[in-house]
Amino acid sequence: MISDQYPQPQALNGLWEQQWPECPPVAYLLGSRYPDRWVRFHTLPGSKRYPENEDEYRTVLNRHYTVLTNWAPGR
């Protein structure tokens, strides 16, 4: 369940289209279409790419929500 304190998926789609109209919401395309805006966030310590347990999934979600809520327009 997604908490009410975070943007809902439908709202994120709209925000994406406003910010990056020339790119579908596919991460690997963003860097080539908007290289001046490209940034990479490491979602797990030690640059680990994929979570392997519930604690790591919580870490990934928390970091993603932190970025989204701090960068969301109008916040």
Side-chain angles (χ1 to χ4, degrees):
M1 179 164 76
I2 297 175
S3 171
D4 289 339
Q5 72 183 25
Y6 300 117
Q8 298 300 303
Q10 299 85 355
L12 292 176
N13 285 337
L15 292 172
W16 183 282
E17 289 173 10
Q18 288 174 12
Q19 295 297 311
W20 302 289
E22 301 298 320
C23 185
V26 179
Y28 69 87
L29 295 176
L30 191 59
S32 63
R33 304 264 175 100
Y34 293 95
D36 58 322
R37 300 186 198 178
W38 179 248
V39 64
R40 179 182 305 258
F41 294 96
H42 293 276
T43 56
L44 289 168
S47 299
K48 185 175 178 181
R49 294 187 73 159
Y50 303 105
E52 296 177 0
N53 58 52
E54 289 297 316
D55 285 337
E56 289 179 349
Y57 276 101
R58 274 192 288 281
T59 298
V60 168
L61 286 174
N62 185 43
R63 289 180 178 194
H64 281 254
Y65 289 145
T66 298
V67 169
L68 290 171
T69 56
N70 284 303
W71 281 10
R75 288 192 160 233

